[in-house]
Structures are given as structure tokens and as C-alpha cells.
């Protein structure tokens, strides 16, 4: 009985400290990990799981609030003297105290009777004192039995009252632990979704320029193309990332206009921001496609250097951000009337991930996959296209990517994350 009462008292004290209850429940209610299935969940599956776990957690929080209100009301009612269980305990306690007082008085009567017997002067007085002692001892035995019964009844009433409080606390603990479990499940689902959203680097997703000259003369137009090749082992939705820029201020970018073609015609590239263009849906492993490009230089363009950036940004059913290596092509603009000589094609160099630029959102026209002869249908990557897919070496001049002009593009270590979130916001399918 004492152990039960101690536990009940501790439970009542704990319910007044929600922070202690919550932390204790969270520490002792770790859910078991579910068995992994052989089939890897898609990003859509993970997103749904995260949404479902969030809803379960929100419902559990609401249930916990309701449970808190219920336990507070229950405990307050049990503490009222009018509650049947507490009233029974109070009555039993009062009876037990009265029985204890009766026993104390009876024991004192026995003591007094023994003293009288010891002080009797003659046989007649001794006989009378003995008779009084016998009667006192009988009353003492009756009082002791009554006290024992009263104490037992008080203990029973105390246990019933304590049991009601413990039962209420157990129900509250179930609700509280459900919240802790739901929170852990939500955190696990969020971590799985975040891990799937991290950008995956795949070296086999290449975008390489074909016939882009290392030198171009002001006042001329150059037609070239780039090839997107999916040499990975996965089917991808590919959105090539393209950026052409003169090493000059924003105001002088008009000296160069770069365009790309799809089924609807030619489209201008933004000279101040990278763009996703010529998207290809469900590009199979080993497939490739070509995109026609055109660069026009104004006749009054100054002698200046420029560069082009090409990369394969993609997604699949499992990852919203799949990144191929970025290539940088440096070229030189010669004054009008110059003879470029035999400079040949611009050579590709690599760009560090931390220097990948952030593109602007695509327009509706850019979001459509390429379907015309200008951006040819995907075909096996082994077929020749006029550009060398094997040319992947880095140029020493491309060891670090930099832009002239303060307002051109935001670059830095957060650029990759920005590109990833840009793509992730558009969805995988």
C-alpha cells in the first residue's frame, strides 16, 4: 500500500510539470524502425510520407492538448471532497482516527486497572481490581480489533482513490507518448525527404558545345549547337543549363545576342542570368539530343573576351536535383573586319560546383521539352554529332569562374543549393 501511494503521489506531482512529462515520454518511446523494402521509394512517395507524417503529428498534438485538458479536469475532480472516492477515503480516515483514539483510551484503562490491582490492600479489594482489569483488557482487545479494521478500510479507500488517479495518468501518458512517437516519425520522414532532395552529381550527364569558335569577329553570326548526352544508368528529365556572357558590364551585353531553337522557333538567351532550356522528358540511358544555337555579334562590338557555361541539370523519379558537370568555353571577340585565322573550336574546361550560377525561373515556352528538328530526338550517345563527347579535359584558363560586372549574377557556395531548390520547386513529375 505504501509503495502504491508513493507512486501515485509521484505521478500527481509529475503531471504538474508538462515539460518533464514530455521529455520523459520522448526518451522512452522511441519507435521501432520499419523494415526496408526492396523497392526504393520515389521522391513522390517520400513527399507523401512526409506530408502524412506531418498530419499525424498535428493530430497527435491536438489530441495531446485535449488530453491535457481532460487530465487536469479529472485530477481536479478527484481532489474535490465531494468526489465519491475521496469522500469514502475521508470517512474511512475519520473512522480510523476515532478507532485509534478508542484504542488509546482502552489501553490506558488497562494500565490504570493493573495499577489498582497492584495497590489492593486485601483479598476482597484484589478480587474487585482483578475483575476491573479483566473487563478493561477485553475492551482493549475489542478496540484494537476495531482499529485494525478501520485502518484496513482506510487503506482500501486510499488505494481506490490513488488507483483512479493512476489510471487517469496512464491514459494521459498514452496520449503524450503518441505525440512523441508521431514527432519522431515526422522527423524521420523529413530527413528522408531532405536526403532525397540533395543534389546528386552524375558525371555521365554531359552537355558539350559543337563548332563554337574560339574566336569570333564583330559583325558576324555564328551557328553552332550543343549536345546533351545521358551516359548514366537512369532515365532523366533533363533541362540543360546555358549561360553566355561577355566579360563586360551589364550595359554592354547587347553587343552579343545568343539564341536557341526549338519547335516553335528561335528564342533569346538572357545575357544576365543562366537559363534552363530545351528540356527533354524521360531521356533514356545512352540517349542524346542536339540543340541548335546562334551567336550574333554587333559590328561595333569591342575586342573583348567572353565565355559560355553548359551543364546538364536534371531530375528523376527519386531525386529532384541531378547535376551533370558544368563546362566552360572561353572565346574572344575580334574587331570587325579581323581575320580569325585557324583558332579552331573553343575548348571545354570544368567549373567547380561552388561556382555554378543560379538560373532564373523558366518561361512557359522554355519549360516545354524539345520536339522539333532543331533540337533533335534523343538517340544513342554512340552516334556522331560533329562534336567530341570525349573532350572533357579542363583548360588551365578555366580554373576559376568569375564574372565582370557587379550586377551580373550571384555566385558562391550557396549557388548549388539555389539551383537545386529552383528545380525542386518545379517538381519531379
Amino acid at each position: 500500500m505504501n509503495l502504491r501511494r508513493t507512486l501515485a503521489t509521484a505521478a500527481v506531482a509529475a503531471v504538474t510539470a508538462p515539460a518533464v512529462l514530455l521529455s520523459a515520454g520522448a526518451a522512452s518511446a522511441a519507435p521501432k524502425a520499419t523494415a526496408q523494402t526492396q523497392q526504393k521509394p520515389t521522391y513522390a512517395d517520400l513527399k507523401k510520407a512526409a506530408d502524412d507524417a506531418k498530419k499525424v503529428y498535428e493530430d497527435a498534438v491536438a489530441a495531446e492538448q485535449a488530453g491535457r485538458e481532460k487530465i487536469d479536469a479529472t485530477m481536479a475532480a478527484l481532489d474535490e471532497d465531494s468526489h465519491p472516492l475521496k469522500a469514502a477515503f475521508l470517512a474511512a480516515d475519520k473512522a480510523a482516527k476515532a478507532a485509534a483514539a478508542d484504542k488509546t483510551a482502552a489501553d490506558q484503562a488497562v494500565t490504570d486497572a493493573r495499577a489498582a490491582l497492584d495497590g489492593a490492600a486485601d483479598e476482597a479489594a484484589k478480587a474487585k481490581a482483578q475483575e476491573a482489569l479483566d473487563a478493561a483488557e477485553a475492551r482493549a482487545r475489542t478496540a484494537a480489533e476495531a482499529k485494525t479494521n478501520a485502518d484496513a478500510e482506510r487503506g482500501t479507500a486510499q488505494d481506490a482513490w490513488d488507483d483512479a488517479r493512476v489510471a487517469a495518468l496512464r491514459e494521459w501518458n498514452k496520449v503524450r507518448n503518441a505525440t512523441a512517437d508521431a514527432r519522431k516519425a515526422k522527423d524521420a520522414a523529413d530527413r528522408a525527404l531532405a536526403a532525397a532532395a540533395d543534389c546528386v552529381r552524375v558525371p555521365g550527364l554531359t552537355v558539350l558545345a559543337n563548332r563554337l569558335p574560339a574566336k569570333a569577329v564583330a559583325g558576324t553570326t555564328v551557328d553552332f549547337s550543343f549536345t546533351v548526352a545521358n551516359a548514366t544508368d537512369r532515365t532523366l528529365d533533363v533541362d540543360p543549363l546555358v549561360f553566355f556572357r561577355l566579360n563586360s558590364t551589364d550595359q554592354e551585353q547587347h553587343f552579343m545576342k545568343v539564341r536557341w531553337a526549338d519547335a516553335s522557333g528561335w528564342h533569346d538567351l538572357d545575357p544576365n542570368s543562366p537559363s534552363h532550356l530545351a528540356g527533354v522528358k524521360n531521356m533514356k540511358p545512352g540517349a542524346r539530343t542536339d540543340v541548335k544555337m546562334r551567336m550574333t555579334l554587333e559590328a561595333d562590338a569591342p575586342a573583348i573576351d567572353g565565355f559560355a557555361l553548359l551543364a546538364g541539370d536534371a531530375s528523376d523519379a527519386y531525386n529532384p536535383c541531378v547535376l551533370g558537370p558544368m563546362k566552360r568555353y572561353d572565346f574572344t571577340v575580334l574587331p570587325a573586319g579581323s581575320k580569325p585565322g585557324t583558332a579552331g573550336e573553343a575548348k571545354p574546361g570544368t567549373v567547380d560546383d561552388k561556382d555554378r550560377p543560379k538560373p532564373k525561373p523558366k518561361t512557359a515556352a522554355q519549360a516545354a521539352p524539345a520536339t522539333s528538328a532543331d533540337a533533335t530526338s534523343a538517340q544513342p550517345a554512340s552516334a556522331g554529332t560533329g562534336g567530341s563527347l570525349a573532350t572533357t579535359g579542363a583548360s588551365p584558363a578555366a580554373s576559376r569562374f568569375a564574372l565582370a560586372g557587379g550586377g551580373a549574377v550571384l555566385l558562391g557556395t550557396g549557388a548549388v543549393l539555389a539551383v537545386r531548390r529552383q528545380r525542386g520547386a518545379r517538381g519531379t513529375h
Side-chain angles (χ1 to χ4, degrees):
M1 182 178 70
N2 291 336
L3 177 59
R4 183 184 304 187
R5 194 167 305 144
T6 300
L7 291 174
T9 302
V12 172
V15 80
T16 63
V20 176
L21 277 173
L22 186 57
S23 62
S28 62
K32 295 182 179 179
T34 57
Q36 292 184 343
T37 59
Q38 292 183 351
Q39 183 177 3
K40 180 181 177 181
T42 65
Y43 187 78
D45 294 335
L46 295 175
K47 180 66 169 64
K48 184 178 185 304
D51 291 341
D52 291 345
K54 179 182 178 183
K55 180 63 169 60
V56 170
Y57 173 67
E58 290 172 346
D59 291 345
V61 170
E64 182 178 346
Q65 177 61 32
R68 177 73 197 199
E69 295 173 357
K70 180 180 179 180
I71 188 65
D72 287 345
T74 299
M75 300 305 289
L78 285 168
D79 282 337
E80 293 290 338
D81 290 349
S82 59
H83 191 282
L85 292 176
K86 185 173 183 182
F89 166 74
L90 292 175
D93 183 63
K94 182 178 179 180
K97 289 177 180 178
D102 290 345
K103 182 180 181 302
T104 299
D107 290 343
Q108 184 61 46
V110 170
T111 300
D112 294 343
R114 284 200 179 107
L117 177 61
D118 292 341
D122 53 36
E123 292 300 323
K126 288 182 179 181
K128 185 176 181 181
Q130 183 63 53
E131 183 179 350
L133 176 59
D134 292 342
E137 289 178 340
R139 288 193 298 270
R141 288 192 294 271
T142 300
E145 184 178 357
K147 181 180 182 302
T148 299
N149 293 335
D151 286 343
E153 290 178 1
R154 179 174 63 179
T156 300
Q158 175 77 65
D159 290 346
W161 185 31
D162 288 344
D163 287 347
R165 291 189 289 181
V166 170
L169 288 171
R170 284 174 177 167
E171 291 301 316
W172 158 244
N173 285 340
K174 291 179 182 179
V175 175
R176 183 198 60 188
N177 291 340
T179 303
D181 291 346
R183 177 58 185 266
K184 290 181 180 179
K186 174 183 176 297
D187 290 346
D190 288 342
R191 287 193 299 270
L193 182 64
D198 286 341
C199 289
V200 177
R201 274 72 176 180
V202 287
L205 179 59
T206 58
V207 181
L208 297 175
N210 309 312
R211 300 181 302 279
L212 176 63
K215 296 180 180 179
V217 179
T220 64
T221 295
V222 177
D223 286 331
F224 60 100
S225 67
F226 68 79
T227 299
V228 183
N230 181 10
T232 73
D233 58 357
R234 63 182 74 186
T235 297
L236 299 171
D237 291 343
V238 181
D239 286 313
L241 185 68
V242 179
F243 185 37
F244 278 73
R245 176 83 179 178
L246 294 176
N247 291 333
S248 184
T249 64
D250 292 348
Q251 291 75 18
E252 294 180 309
Q253 295 304 312
H254 69 276
F255 290 122
M256 177 181 67
K257 177 183 288 187
V258 181
R259 315 186 81 193
W260 65 280
D262 65 2
S264 62
W266 288 94
H267 307 278
D268 293 340
L269 280 182
D270 185 347
N272 294 316
S273 176
S275 303
H276 284 121
L277 54 85
V280 180
K281 297 293 184 182
N282 297 318
M283 194 174 191
K284 303 297 183 183
R288 74 179 183 190
T289 186
D290 293 336
V291 179
K292 287 186 177 181
M293 303 288 293
R294 177 171 292 168
M295 179 173 66
T296 300
L297 298 170
E298 297 291 336
D300 56 349
I304 196 171
D305 291 332
F307 61 86
L309 299 176
L310 302 175
D313 284 2
S315 63
D316 63 12
Y318 306 100
N319 299 92
C321 181
V322 179
L323 302 178
M326 176 169 277
K327 298 298 179 182
R328 171 175 170 142
Y329 293 83
D330 291 292
F331 59 87
T332 299
V333 178
L334 302 177
S338 299
K339 301 298 182 181
T342 58
E345 296 184 17
K347 302 300 181 183
T350 59
V351 176
D352 289 341
D353 275 342
K354 66 183 180 64
D355 292 325
R356 289 179 73 103
K358 173 184 175 182
K360 288 183 179 179
K362 293 171 60 174
T363 65
Q366 291 172 332
T371 56
S372 71
D374 295 314
T376 60
S377 300
Q379 52 185 309
S382 58
T385 62
S388 175
L389 296 183
T391 306
T392 59
S395 169
S399 61
R400 182 170 182 83
F401 171 49
L403 292 181
V409 162
L410 294 177
L411 299 176
T413 57
V416 175
L417 180 60
V419 172
R420 183 195 73 189
R421 290 181 174 174
Q422 160 68 25
R423 289 193 47 77
R426 301 206 318 265
T428 302
H429 290 291

